[in-house]
């Protein structure tokens, strides 16, 4: 950069990486990468910049959404032009620095780190219900009043239909409607979280491949199945590191006791309808939300959730027999209160995960986003970011928070993120 621009904010890709090239593997280890470095080509010559390098910690809803949006933003000419205009106000398209960092040489690397692989954490064991509802019969007058208020104030594009008992039972035969009221959301989704996350991972791979139209426009996307002990472990290799580890974010030494997250373990019980049972759950019938939720995956499989065990430090997705028994004893009465037919289904297993619950605020319980460098309090040429506190609403929030964070990371501008998502840092201070 010429001396006349020496006081401009530094480019986020101005940090030189370690001299190594990453082999093109969908899932690999940094040990393999390091051993390959000795035979790698020499660094790029002067005038040809190195790739932008981003690390995303976590391959759940938040992490894969951030990765997808990073690839999308950085594959766009307009996004790069916007970034350059923001960070280098006085540059013209004829200036040498503009030409050096133009999309004609837009190599990007996005690496995702998750020791458990895609959907190996709480995201992968979730129920897959996209709130606020599918079919919800309230069991208390208070809940009924809230649902009626929501139905009257809902967005036109996401309407809620108020049904009486007869209409609700047409959708779900055998449904119990204690207050002759149920709220139905036709456009709500019930997805298989594991399959969805695997599809999102494939979408990232496809986007990177399609955007790599020439050697100078390579977009690399990789998954590393390994544990990251601390953030400084990656700071020398990457321009930005985005922490999307859910409850495990607090296990990083740089973030211990610095995030206002509340851990809550949830157990989900799985049931199947015996093969000899003639009466199946309707293929067009919606899932059910009540004091417990019932997420149906086809006519013979249902997941019932979820328990709430606050302050738990049990991160295992496996469930002991004792924990499973306790969970089913809690969940089955709640499920039976609205769907008595669940008594015909057989218990087949349980899974669990830790929710990272955000603090309660005047705006509700919102995810925690923003730059972490001030929170960490250590000087670094790498920018650290957080996407956390999605709680039990990872499926609901992941698209929005991934998009906002990707734009903020690429531009180096936290103000792109609404203050409601970053005010936790002010409260913490």
């Amino acid at each position: 950069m010429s001396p006349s621009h020496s006081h401009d904010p530094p480019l986020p890709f101005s940090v030189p990486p370690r001299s190594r090239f990453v082999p093109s593997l969908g899932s690999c280890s940094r040990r393999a990468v390091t051993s390959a470095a000795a035979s790698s080509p020499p660094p790029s010559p002067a005038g040809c910049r190195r790739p932008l390098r981003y690390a995303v910690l976590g391959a759940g809803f938040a992490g894969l959404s951030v990765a997808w949006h990073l690839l999308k933003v950085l594959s766009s000419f307009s996004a790069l032009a916007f970034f350059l205009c923001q960070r280098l106000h006085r540059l013209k398209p004829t200036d040498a620095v503009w030409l050096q960092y133009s999309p004609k040489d837009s190599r990007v690397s996005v690496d995702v780190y998750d020791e458990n692989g895609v959907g190996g954490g709480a995201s992968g064991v979730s129920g897959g219900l996209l709130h606020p509802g599918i079919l919800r019969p309230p069991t208390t007058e208070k809940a009924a009043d809230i649902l009626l208020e929501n139905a009257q104030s809902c967005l036109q594009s996401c309407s809620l239909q108020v049904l009486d008992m007869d209409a609700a039972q047409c959708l779900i035969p055998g449904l119990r409607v204690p207050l002759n009221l149920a709220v139905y959301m036709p456009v709500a989704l019930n997805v298989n979280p594991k399959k969805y996350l695997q599809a999102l991972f494939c979408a990232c791979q496809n986007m990177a491949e399609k955007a790599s139209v020439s050697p100078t426009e390579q977009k690399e996307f990789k998954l590393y199945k390994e544990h990251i002990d601390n953030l400084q472990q990656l700071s020398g290799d990457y321009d930005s590191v985005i922490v999307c580890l859910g409850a495990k974010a607090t296990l990083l030494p740089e973030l211990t006791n610095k995030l206002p997250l509340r851990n809550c373990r949830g157990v989900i019980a799985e049931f199947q309808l015996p093969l000899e049972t003639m009466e199946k759950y309707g293929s067009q019938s919606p899932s059910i939300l009540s004091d417990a939720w019932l997420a149906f995956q086809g006519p013979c499989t249902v997941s019932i959730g979820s328990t709430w065990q606050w302050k738990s430090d049990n991160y295992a997705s496996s469930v002991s027999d004792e924990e499973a028994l306790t969970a089913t004893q809690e969940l089955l009465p709640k499920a039976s209160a609205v769907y008595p037919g669940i008594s015909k289904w057989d218990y087949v297993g349980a899974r669990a995960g830790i929710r990272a619950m955000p603090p309660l605020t005047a705006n509700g319980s919102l995810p925690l986003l923003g730059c972490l460098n001030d929170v960490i309090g250590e000087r670094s040429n790498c920018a650290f970011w957080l996407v956390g506190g999605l709680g039990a609403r990872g499926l609901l929030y992941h698209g929005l928070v991934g998009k906002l964070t990707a734009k903020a990371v690429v531009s180096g501008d936290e103000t792109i993120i609404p203050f409601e998502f970053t005010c936790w840092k002010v409260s913490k201070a």
Side-chain angles (χ1 to χ4, degrees):
M1 184 177 294
S2 63
S4 60
H5 300 299
S6 60
H7 58 281
D8 284 327
L11 289 167
F13 42 73
S14 60
V15 186
R18 294 177 184 172
S19 179
R20 63 184 175 94
F21 282 69
V22 180
S24 297
L25 298 174
S27 174
C28 49
S29 70
R30 286 166 62 86
R31 296 184 186 90
V33 170
T34 304
S35 64
S39 58
S40 63
S44 301
C48 182
R49 70 171 177 84
R50 71 170 179 87
L52 288 166
R53 302 204 64 216
Y54 299 96
V56 179
L57 308 189
F61 289 131
L64 291 183
S65 176
V66 169
W68 192 86
H69 283 286
L70 279 173
L71 290 166
K72 183 178 181 181
V73 169
L74 290 163
S75 298
S76 166
F77 175 92
S78 59
L80 281 172
F82 167 77
F83 162 72
L84 289 168
C85 288
Q86 260 208 332
R87 304 290 283 179
L88 303 170
H89 306 271
R90 294 184 294 278
L91 285 181
K92 300 177 182 179
T94 55
D95 289 342
V97 177
W98 173 282
L99 295 176
Q100 180 181 352
Y101 294 103
S102 73
K104 292 181 180 179
D105 186 18
S106 54
R107 294 173 296 154
V108 174
S109 176
V110 177
D111 297 336
V112 177
Y113 291 84
D114 196 312
E115 61 185 319
N116 297 314
V118 174
S123 293
V125 302
S126 67
L129 292 173
L130 184 57
H131 294 271
I134 293 184
L135 182 65
R136 184 161 191 170
T139 57
T140 66
E141 293 287 352
K142 181 179 179 180
D145 291 341
I146 294 173
L147 287 174
L148 286 173
E149 183 180 349
N150 290 343
Q152 294 171 356
S153 60
C154 66
L155 297 174
Q156 186 175 0
S157 60
C158 190
S159 63
L160 300 177
Q161 300 177 8
V162 179
L163 308 180
D164 60 15
M165 181 187 301
D166 292 337
Q169 291 177 343
C170 284
L171 289 174
I172 304 177
L175 182 73
R176 182 177 293 168
V177 188
L179 300 177
N180 192 31
L181 168 70
V183 172
Y184 176 49
M185 183 177 172
V187 297
L189 298 177
N190 180 17
V191 303
N192 183 307
K194 274 279 192 180
K195 292 181 178 179
Y196 172 80
L197 289 168
Q198 290 165 356
L200 183 53
F201 179 79
C202 290
C204 291
Q205 290 180 313
N206 292 339
M207 182 181 296
E209 182 178 351
K210 290 179 180 179
S212 301
V213 295
S214 72
T216 58
E217 295 184 56
Q218 291 294 308
K219 305 295 186 293
E220 295 183 338
F221 174 72
K222 303 180 186 69
L223 171 67
Y224 293 89
K225 290 185 179 180
E226 62 181 84
H227 177 73
I228 299 300
D229 296 313
N230 57 75
L231 294 177
Q232 295 305 321
Q233 179 180 341
L234 301 173
S235 62
D237 292 338
Y238 293 96
D239 303 292
S240 295
V241 175
I242 305 97
V243 179
C244 308
L245 291 172
K248 288 187 176 180
T250 58
L251 300 182
L252 293 168
E254 295 91 344
L255 299 178
T256 300
N257 298 323
K258 293 184 179 180
L259 301 179
L261 295 175
R262 303 168 294 151
N263 284 6
C264 182
R265 181 172 171 85
V267 177
I268 297 171
E270 301 170 353
F271 290 79
Q272 287 185 352
L273 200 59
L275 294 176
E276 64 273 13
T277 304
M278 298 296 296
E279 182 181 338
K280 310 292 183 183
Y281 193 80
S283 59
Q284 301 300 316
S285 296
S287 293
I288 304 169
L289 285 173
S290 188
D291 296 333
W293 48 257
L294 294 86
F296 291 89
Q297 301 284 350
C300 299
T301 303
V302 64
S303 296
I304 303 177
S306 170
T307 62
W308 294 77
Q309 184 182 348
W310 292 97
K311 298 182 179 180
S312 173
D313 58 0
N314 182 359
Y315 290 87
S317 59
S318 59
V319 178
S320 67
D321 292 342
E322 181 180 358
E323 186 180 25
L325 177 60
T326 301
T328 54
Q329 289 175 342
E330 175 184 340
L331 295 171
L332 272 178
K334 296 178 180 178
S336 298
V338 291
Y339 187 63
I342 196 64
S343 61
K344 301 177 183 179
W345 296 59
D346 293 336
Y347 169 81
V348 294
R351 60 189 192 270
I354 291 277
R355 312 174 184 91
M357 303 298 294
L360 299 173
T361 71
N363 296 313
S365 299
L366 298 177
L368 312 182
L369 310 183
C371 185
L372 288 171
N373 288 55
D374 290 341
V375 176
I376 294 172
E378 297 179 9
R379 297 181 61 86
S380 175
N381 289 323
C382 178
F384 299 104
W385 298 78
L386 174 70
V387 178
L390 275 65
R393 298 176 178 175
L395 186 59
L396 173 66
Y397 278 122
H398 77 293
L400 174 62
V401 298
K403 183 177 182 178
L404 290 171
T405 299
K407 289 184 175 180
V409 169
V410 172
S411 66
D413 183 3
E414 189 185 56
T415 62
I416 288 175
I417 303 172
F419 178 71
E420 289 81 359
F421 292 122
T422 60
C423 63
W424 65 274
K425 296 196 296 181
V426 177
S427 302
K428 188 69 177 174

